């Protein structure tokens, strides 16, 4: 496996030169130092455990989950270095760094050890839900431990019969006399539901109270710890919950995906009764951005590994050269096409994600920023994970047959990247969220506010290919916002519309990157310019086919009878 | 895992109703009976070993490769039933069925047990090379055994430093006094290089004679058996060759991918000295069609599995329905889109492959047919394996998180399908073959002969979307055929050009399928009509973006400096 180079200088260049107005007031020198340290942690501690973790996997022994060799020690170092607390509030022991620092760290972790990143990622999600919705005494008891990483978190949503359709879930939560709840039921697909990294694991479980109305309006959120804290707040009595099985999966083998059984487990309500989904969804934007970043991290890692291979693998000769010794395959146009397709996502995708992370930091006091977060989050989650997977597949293709062999690492990236398109709401669910809720938000004005940003950038730096794609996106948006459309219209357009939206969003960032570079001869400016030219000439024209598919409407999807499929 | 339904009636309907002029004279009742029996073999014998073969994999024990449990017995039954001989010449014990029978059988094998299909696939390739190029005494000695399947075949091309660039290979073949050759060298990626299915394995090894010129014009083809036949033609003395290692791979775990060492192994020249590549390439069309069919088989299996899931998984409600019990997810437009995208490939792809198989049968006496085979083979190899992989990924997506879990089978299909894009010449190599050799063939007239077929079908049954795509393809073809283009022009266009070519080829078959269906109310006619409508409305418009990328030329690929990648 070639060495991974953390993209720290790229992050800083984007903040210093491209996202200039948005990044005003950020302490960039501190950020740079922190990310450099994070990059060292990722490459020195996490990367060496990636292939071995995949090969060994997790196992369930006498009811307890064991992670692969080296993972407990790596997590101990991760906690000792303070990484779990990076972007958490100071009140609970956090370092209150901006979310973009978290994002850049998460990218490097996903690039070097995708599975490892899920443990702190879920812990952060649980902490955020508790910080926003739990009673003060629960916050005092749990947040310092979760923020430090001494305790870990898990989210228990899915049941066998209730995946995307959470209204079907059946786990029960019965009140006890002391005000706590007794939780009974079985959950599946619980990432990090049990493991040996932390001394306690705090589950947030979706369950129904006895008087719950049916459907999604009758779901409550319940905090259920693996060990009940004693009077000193230390892990005490074992709760009535256990991992019943581990899924055997395509990838992320070092991340245990548990079947969890709760058998009258003791828990406490978080947020209002029957309002559990709303409580869960307030942290969903951050979680979905996190998953999108996993796609970005894998794409960057795959691109670097494939480019390294292409620079050193000698096969054939450049176009127009008939004889002579073999040359690096980077000379071949099709190899360049594959590598630039990856780059066409990563550099602008990172800039877009940094921009979105800044919006997320502002969202609580700034409704405009909040709207942008709501709009772009499904786009980033779905498109970044699709492109992340596609980048891993392209990177693997650059290696030819060598990409199919385990020891070269690319095939693990493909297997690991695949999950990000499926969990945290499948990418189809993201697309539906975009074309229904998000297009209707602010009376339909929300997407047009975003398009105005792209238009403004185009006025400052014209690019006909982007103007054309934006025109297509705006037309598709108006089409989907029309009243009286068929009920199947949004769903029929959803996947292609999200991809079109994502392409325009990337184009917006490539425009800003190229404009910031200007005619400068600095290497990173030249790189931005050359990659942007490729994006506009070769990738953005996909918008034509997407627009045509959207315009075709739902008929050819909805007319076919069941036996056509 | 849901049951796989062999598409036998679909094959027969296409031959009886769509490929009518081409299929004249075929014995369709016999074909139907043979394929029905082949389908039963695939579903009853091969399918049950697919998941277990993946989980167990092959192992190397004391220099001998062991296949997973059940594979030797399944192969014994396969030979006993006469399947290896299906399309082989009668002279060597074959049944001389047309190639399309072989193709339809290979599709069902790939759908039910991708790994298993490689053993007879390679044996057939070896037999074909020997039948065409070896001396009569070698043919007498080896062909009856290979045709019956009692002995297996293997192709030993790749070396560590020589993959796509076979000119770099270094394995030596030194003449002995008795006219045989002594072969010394190491090969990698040798599929079925050693195993326990057959009593002997006949390797065709690319090697250099002592007086060989450098490069690809100095490569000879050498027959090297694992056991040297004795006077009775039975496997006798062990040859000086052995599997040194097995690759650990992403998929096809039941197919051993061997590092092979030849240490003065005894062999015999096949074909003329230094003309080994030409001998190898005469059978390449059939091998590449075979690999394309593997993509088709996986796509059909993934589509069937995903559709079964979508018909029975209850989540959410159809568009426009606000309340009520959960409905099958097949009601959701985006699920239909994914399933129809798979179907948009499989039905027309199968028809195209059947058509191409008939051309291949005629190619020896019909130069026009030979040209079509040459033209369409790289298209089918690359596009069918790309679409096969994409179909497996889409099928997996239909299952959501359940698709990521091993027991549901889709994730194995994704891992297995991936190899077909990489071996037998990567898909990038196929695209280069198309845009260079094939566009130049017949003085540049060859592709236009194919386009004339599509034009004629359009005159009989107009379809504006296909006319537009064909216009784009013809324009791109003329662009690439222009003299004086930059050397990098073909390579820069290759991948998108092949995809555009493949879309138009599928469109041609959808047009013929829909025209054959007419307004008939028969179920399979309605299916063809409805799927064709989807293809033209939602998939074929991808041609716009592909044409734009081709037209953009090589500049944005070739200008970027090395550090952009």
């Amino acid at each position: 496996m070639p060495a991974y180079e953390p993209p720290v200088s790229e992050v800083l260049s984007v903040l210093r030169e491209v996202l200039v107005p948005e990044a005003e007031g950020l302490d960039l020198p501190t950020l740079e130092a922190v990310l450099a340290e994070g990059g060292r942690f990722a490459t020195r501690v996490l990367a060496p455990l990636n292939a071995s973790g995949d090969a060994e996997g997790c196992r369930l022994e006498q009811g307890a989950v064991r992670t692969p060799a080296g993972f407990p020690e790596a997590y101990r170092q991760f906690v000792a270095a303070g990484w779990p607390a990076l972007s958490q509030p100071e009140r609970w022991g956090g370092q209150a760094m901006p979310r973009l620092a978290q994002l850049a760290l998460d990218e490097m972790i996903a690039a070097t050890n995708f599975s490892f990143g899920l443990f702190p990622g879920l812990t952060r999600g649980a902490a955020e839900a508790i910080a926003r919705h739990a009673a003060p005494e629960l916050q005092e008891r749990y947040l310092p431990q979760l923020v430090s990483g001494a305790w870990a978190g898990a989210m228990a949503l899915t049941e066998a019969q209730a995946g995307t359709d959470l209204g079907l879930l059946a786990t029960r939560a019965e009140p006890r006399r002391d005000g706590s709840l007794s939780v009974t039921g079985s959950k599946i697909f619980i990432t990090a539901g049990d493991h040996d990294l932390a001394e306690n694991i705090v589950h947030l479980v979706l369950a129904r109270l006895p008087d719950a109305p049916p459907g999604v309006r009758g779901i409550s959120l319940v905090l259920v710890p693996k060990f009940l804290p004693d009077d000193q707040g230390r892990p005490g009595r074992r709760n009535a919950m256990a991992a019943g099985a581990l899924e055997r999966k395509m990838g992320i083998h070092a991340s245990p995906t548990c079947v969890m059984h709760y058998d009258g487990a003791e828990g406490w309500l978080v947020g209002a009764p029957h309002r559990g989904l709303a409580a869960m969804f307030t942290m969903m934007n951050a979680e979905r951005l996190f998953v999108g970043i996993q796609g970005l991290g894998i794409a960057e890692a795959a691109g670097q590994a494939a480019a390294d291979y292409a620079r050193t693998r000698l096969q054939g000769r450049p176009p127009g050269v008939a004889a002579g010794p073999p040359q690096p395959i980077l000379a071949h146009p099709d190899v360049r096409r594959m590598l630039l397709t990856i780059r066409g996502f990563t550099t602008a995708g990172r800039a877009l994600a940094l921009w979105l992370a800044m919006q997320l930091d502002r969202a609580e006091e700034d409704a405009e920023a909040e709207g942008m977060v709501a709009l772009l989050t499904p786009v980033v989650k779905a498109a970044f994970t699709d492109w992340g997977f596609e980048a891993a597949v392209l990177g693997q293709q650059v290696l030819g047959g060598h990409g199919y062999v385990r020891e070269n690492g690319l095939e693990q990236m493909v297997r690991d990247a695949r999950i990000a398109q499926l969990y945290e709401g499948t990418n189809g669910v993201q697309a539906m969220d975009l074309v229904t809720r998000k297009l209707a938000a602010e009376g339909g004005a929300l997407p047009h506010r975003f398009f105005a940003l792209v238009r403004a950038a185009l006025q400052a730096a014209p690019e006909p290919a982007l103007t054309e794609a934006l025109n297509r996106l705006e037309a598709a948006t108006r089409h989907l916002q029309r009243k009286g459309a068929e009920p199947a219209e949004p769903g029929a357009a959803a996947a292609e519309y999200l991809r079109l939206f994502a392409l325009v969003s990337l184009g917006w960032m490539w425009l800003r990157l190229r404009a910031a570079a200007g005619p400068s001869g600095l290497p990173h400016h030249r790189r931005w310019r050359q990659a942007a030219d490729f994006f506009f000439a070769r990738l953005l024209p996909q918008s034509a086919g997407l627009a045509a598919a959207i315009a075709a409407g739902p008929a050819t999807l909805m007319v076919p009878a069941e036996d056509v499929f």
Side-chain angles (χ1 to χ4, degrees), chain A:
Chain A
M1 279 294 297
Y4 164 76
E5 191 178 330
V8 176
S9 70
E10 186 82 15
V11 168
L12 271 295
S13 297
V14 166
L15 293 173
R16 286 195 180 110
E17 303 172 14
V18 184
L19 304 177
V20 178
E22 295 96 336
E24 207 194 321
L26 287 179
D27 175 2
L28 295 182
T30 299
L31 180 71
E32 184 162 22
V34 166
L35 294 184
E37 188 57 33
R40 277 188 289 274
F41 190 90
T43 52
R44 292 181 189 174
V45 180
L46 301 183
L49 298 176
N50 192 38
S52 61
D54 177 64
E56 183 183 341
C58 296
R59 49 199 195 286
L60 183 61
E61 287 176 354
Q62 297 164 326
V65 174
R66 303 281 164 222
T67 57
F71 273 64
E73 171 59 18
Y75 187 76
R76 198 194 57 71
Q77 292 180 43
F78 190 75
V79 169
W83 292 114
L86 185 70
S87 62
Q88 305 267 12
E90 285 179 329
R91 181 175 171 199
W92 305 114
Q95 296 161 36
M97 291 281 289
R99 273 187 203 268
L100 63 87
Q102 184 70 52
L103 177 154
L105 176 69
D106 288 339
E107 184 197 329
M108 297 186 289
I109 295 174
T112 48
N113 197 319
F114 194 105
S115 285
F116 183 90
L118 287 167
F119 296 100
L122 284 158
T123 302
R124 213 161 55 238
E128 188 160 352
I130 294 168
R132 290 196 184 206
H133 299 286
E137 58 272 25
L138 288 176
Q139 294 185 348
E140 299 283 351
R141 177 152 288 190
Y142 289 95
L143 282 177
Q145 307 286 6
L146 288 168
V147 165
S148 74
W151 296 2
M155 308 293 199
L157 288 71
T158 304
E159 299 176 11
Q161 79 292 352
T164 295
D165 193 348
L166 286 171
L168 299 174
L169 66 82
T171 295
R172 289 171 292 115
E174 315 237 340
R176 306 189 207 215
R177 293 190 180 181
D178 66 356
S180 69
L181 295 165
S182 172
V183 175
T184 301
S186 289
K187 299 278 180 180
I188 65 168
F189 295 166
I190 308 310
T191 303
D194 191 49
H195 56 79
D196 53 4
L197 300 193
E199 60 181 13
N200 202 359
I201 304 172
V202 181
H203 287 225
L204 292 181
V205 182
L206 290 183
R208 290 185 184 284
L209 294 166
D211 58 343
V216 292
R217 289 183 186 80
I219 298 173
S220 300
L221 188 62
V222 188
L223 186 160
V224 184
K226 178 176 173 183
F227 294 101
L228 296 155
D230 63 18
D231 292 345
Q232 281 75 49
R234 303 292 311 157
R237 184 164 51 84
R238 174 76 192 235
N239 211 344
M241 58 197 282
L246 291 181
E247 301 291 352
R248 298 188 315 131
K249 309 185 300 287
M250 182 181 193
I252 55 167
H253 292 160
S255 169
T257 304
C258 303
V259 175
M260 289 298 308
H261 301 301
Y262 305 90
D263 186 19
E266 196 169 340
W268 292 269
L269 190 68
V270 173
H274 317 318
R275 300 285 299 152
L277 271 197
M280 207 66 144
F281 272 103
T282 55
M283 59 173 191
M284 211 59 111
N285 285 328
E287 285 294 302
R288 290 181 171 176
L289 177 56
F290 168 70
V291 173
I293 294 313
Q294 292 185 307
L296 176 65
I298 281 280
E300 179 66 38
Q304 287 192 22
D308 275 3
Y309 184 86
R311 274 189 276 266
T312 53
R313 173 73 171 170
L314 309 176
Q315 294 282 284
R317 279 159 296 276
V321 178
Q327 298 293 312
I329 61 170
L330 187 58
H332 300 302
D334 193 56
V335 171
R336 295 179 152 243
R337 176 191 65 82
M338 293 191 274
L339 293 171
L340 282 169
T341 300
I342 300 172
R343 177 63 61 214
F345 159 44
T346 51
T347 301
R350 183 179 299 112
L352 184 68
L354 291 169
W355 176 84
L356 190 57
M358 291 190 278
Q359 306 299 311
L360 194 52
D361 272 337
R362 287 178 193 139
E364 279 194 48
E365 59 262 24
D366 178 345
E368 290 213 359
E370 191 186 13
M372 287 298 149
V373 169
L375 181 67
L376 268 300
T377 295
V379 175
V380 166
K381 193 282 178 183
F384 279 32
T385 59
D386 282 350
W387 282 326
F389 178 72
E390 291 164 24
V393 170
L394 279 171
Q396 187 184 27
Q397 192 73 22
V398 169
L399 272 69
H402 295 273
Y404 200 66
V405 173
R406 291 224 168 147
E407 69 198 62
N408 292 316
L410 270 300
E411 69 88 30
Q412 183 188 346
M413 294 187 202
V414 173
R415 289 185 291 104
D416 286 352
R418 186 70 183 91
I419 188 60
Q421 302 170 283
L422 296 164
Y423 64 17
E424 202 61 33
T426 66
N427 286 357
V429 168
Q430 307 299 324
M432 280 305 282
D433 177 44
L434 177 65
V435 294
T436 55
R437 278 185 288 277
K438 303 307 165 62
L439 289 197
E442 304 180 12
L446 175 57
H448 300 284
R449 280 209 291 118
F450 177 73
F451 303 153
L453 295 178
V454 184
R455 259 309 151 218
L458 276 165
Q459 277 175 346
E463 170 52 62
L466 184 57
T467 299
E468 197 177 2
L470 177 60
N471 290 344
R472 287 175 178 139
L473 177 59
E474 289 186 330
T477 306
R478 284 191 300 270
H479 175 71
L480 292 172
Q481 288 182 325
R482 265 201 338 250
K483 301 292 172 197
E486 280 187 62
E489 184 92 42
E496 284 95 346
Y497 181 81
L498 186 143
R499 176 66 73 124
L500 176 58
F501 203 116
L503 278 172
V504 169
S505 306
L506 276 197
W508 176 43
M509 281 299 154
W510 275 121
L511 197 70
R512 294 184 66 175
L513 285 155
R514 192 169 64 180
S520 144
L522 288 174
H524 73 285
H525 288 157
R526 180 179 40 69
R527 288 199 296 268
W528 289 351
R529 212 160 46 228
Q530 292 175 338
D533 289 346
F534 170 83
F535 176 84
F536 290 121
R538 308 267 314 201
L539 298 183
L540 193 55
Q542 293 167 9
S543 62
L546 297 168
I550 296 165
T556 60
L557 287 178
M558 303 313 286
V559 167
E562 245 194 49
D563 64 353
V564 176
F565 299 94

